[in-house]
Amino acid sequence: MSSEAGYRVAVLGATGLVGRTMIKVLEERNFPVSELVPLASPRSRGEVIAFKGREFVTEVPSAEIFEGVDIALFSAGASASREWAPVAAAAGAIVIDNSSAFRMDEGIPLVVPEVNPESIFDREGKAAPIIANPNCSTIQMVVALKPLYDAYGIRRVVVSTYQSVTGKGKAGRDALESELAGNIPEDFTHFHQIAFNAVPQIDAFTENGYTKEEMKMVNETKKIMADDTIEVSPTTVRIPVYGGHGESLNVELKSDFDIEEVRALLAGSPGIVMQDDPSARLYPMPMTSYERDEVFVGRLRPDYWHPRTLNLWVVADNLRKGAATNAVQIAELLVGNL
């Protein structure tokens, strides 16, 4: 892999919401791309993607098209990732996969750059051929948890999420817009009407009564933080907003804390913006996190009924930090290290 003229970067799922956002973030962050290779399903073949003043034609994935690709960003669903990630890796590309296909596979790093960047490389400094991008709701939570974990240790996290319809991609966004226009379908994209509603189900339920989305937060947090003792008790809810997921966290720490020290700690941590001035009605909201790459934290306060426990409110743009930006940040860690 040579960085003198940039990198040949493929984006699988280039015409979807996350794929388009990946391409946008690559351009905004001036990632060194010598050639963009947009890939999608046959129905999107031939679609033109603009990037840095040039136009690239969308193709369908094949073994041949991955030849010479340096980095491949995948966001086309778990089935496509299982089919094409091994093919791309065998052709020499480093695959950064946004689906759930490989997240819990042993030997495949699950990475949030602010939390565990070192897990990308082995002891010899070689990057893993496939790197998994965590679930959007997990990413923003662990960015906020990492400084607390390092300073105080964490016993338990109770988290309730308020997740944007764009977490279900274009179909999720279109469903809300259609319902707001008065078109109520027989089969709901979000299990029930989402307009003017809140649906306490994201993905299918499992045998233990939690949804798959909730169990992702449990299992991914343990893997990213490299600590199986952290207890995570989640409830995930879909709400009719664009642009970001909100999360209410109740975090039990292992040692005593001073709330002002915690506030300063979080404010000075990578990727976090503190918005915590109740007197000025300043706190994170999806509307103000839209199109931003940071994780916003506010409503910081002790839990007066439980010692060593604090409450905080965390918001991030799920299409950016929750997906596309995190993937590009991983790619940035590869630059100069391959």
Side-chain angles (χ1 to χ4, degrees):
M1 179 180 288
S2 173
S3 62
E4 291 182 2
Y7 300 88
R8 194 163 184 254
V9 178
V11 178
L12 178 59
T15 59
L17 273 184
V18 174
R20 289 184 182 278
T21 307
M22 284 176 167
I23 293 169
K24 182 179 181 180
V25 173
L26 285 168
E27 182 163 358
E28 288 178 356
R29 296 174 72 93
N30 199 29
F31 189 84
V33 178
S34 61
E35 181 184 359
L36 184 71
V37 183
L39 304 171
S41 63
R43 67 176 179 273
S44 297
R45 186 174 192 169
E47 187 169 333
V48 175
I49 301 291
F51 179 75
K52 289 189 174 182
R54 299 169 62 189
E55 293 185 341
F56 298 89
V57 178
T58 302
E59 301 284 355
V60 296
S62 66
E64 294 75 22
I65 209 160
F66 284 113
E67 294 292 336
V69 168
D70 299 307
I71 298 171
L73 305 178
F74 276 34
S75 188
S79 296
S81 292
R82 292 190 189 100
E83 179 179 3
W84 293 110
V87 175
I94 302 295
V95 177
I96 302 170
D97 180 44
N98 193 58
S99 80
S100 62
F102 307 105
R103 288 174 183 161
M104 298 310 300
D105 286 13
E106 186 175 352
I108 291 185
L110 183 65
V111 179
V112 178
E114 294 90 345
V115 179
N116 61 336
E118 70 287 343
S119 65
I120 290 176
F121 304 98
D122 62 20
R123 293 180 180 178
E124 286 73 42
K126 184 178 180 181
I130 299 175
I131 301 166
N133 211 33
N135 189 46
C136 48
S137 54
T138 305
I139 289 174
Q140 66 186 70
M141 182 173 73
V142 297
V143 169
L145 292 180
K146 173 64 172 174
L148 301 174
Y149 180 88
D150 288 346
Y152 307 102
I154 293 176
R155 293 189 185 279
R156 184 170 188 254
V157 181
V158 180
V159 52
S160 298
T161 74
Y162 305 73
Q163 295 183 220
S164 164
V165 292
T166 56
K168 202 168 176 63
K170 184 177 183 297
R173 181 190 65 187
D174 291 350
L176 174 58
E177 292 179 348
S178 179
E179 290 175 16
L180 288 172
N183 303 314
I184 307 301
E186 293 184 4
D187 295 321
F188 290 103
T189 301
H190 300 286
F191 302 110
H192 296 274
Q193 177 178 317
I194 192 61
F196 313 107
N197 200 12
V199 179
Q201 178 186 355
I202 298 177
D203 211 327
F205 283 98
T206 65
E207 292 182 357
N208 65 8
Y210 289 83
T211 64
K212 290 182 178 180
E213 180 83 1
E214 289 160 353
M215 292 310 299
K216 288 175 186 177
M217 297 190 76
V218 173
N219 297 322
E220 291 178 16
T221 299
K222 293 175 182 289
K223 181 174 180 178
I224 294 165
M225 305 292 282
D227 187 346
D228 286 336
T229 70
I230 299 176
E231 300 172 357
V232 180
S233 182
T235 301
T236 58
V237 181
R238 187 76 72 194
I239 63 171
V241 302
Y242 298 145
H245 292 350
E247 296 178 350
S248 173
L249 303 181
N250 179 264
V251 185
E252 181 183 355
L253 304 174
K254 290 184 177 180
S255 58
D256 295 332
F257 63 89
D258 175 85
I259 197 66
E260 292 306 322
E261 289 180 357
V262 170
R263 182 174 283 106
L265 173 67
L266 291 171
S269 297
I272 292 176
V273 173
M274 286 296 295
Q275 293 181 331
D276 192 28
D277 186 354
S279 65
R281 300 176 185 172
L282 176 64
Y283 29 69
M285 296 183 292
M287 183 176 292
T288 51
S289 74
Y290 184 62
E291 294 284 314
R292 297 285 296 274
D293 291 329
E294 304 91 344
V295 172
F296 297 86
V297 177
R299 295 298 317 279
L300 188 65
R301 62 210 187 275
D303 184 331
Y304 286 114
W305 293 268
H306 291 274
R308 297 179 176 177
T309 304
L310 60 86
N311 293 294
L312 58 156
W313 171 246
V314 179
V315 177
D317 186 321
N318 55 292
L319 292 181
R320 291 182 70 99
K321 183 54 186 170
T325 300
N326 199 76
V328 174
Q329 287 176 308
I330 293 171
E332 289 171 345
L333 293 173
L334 299 173
V335 174
N337 287 283
L338 296 177

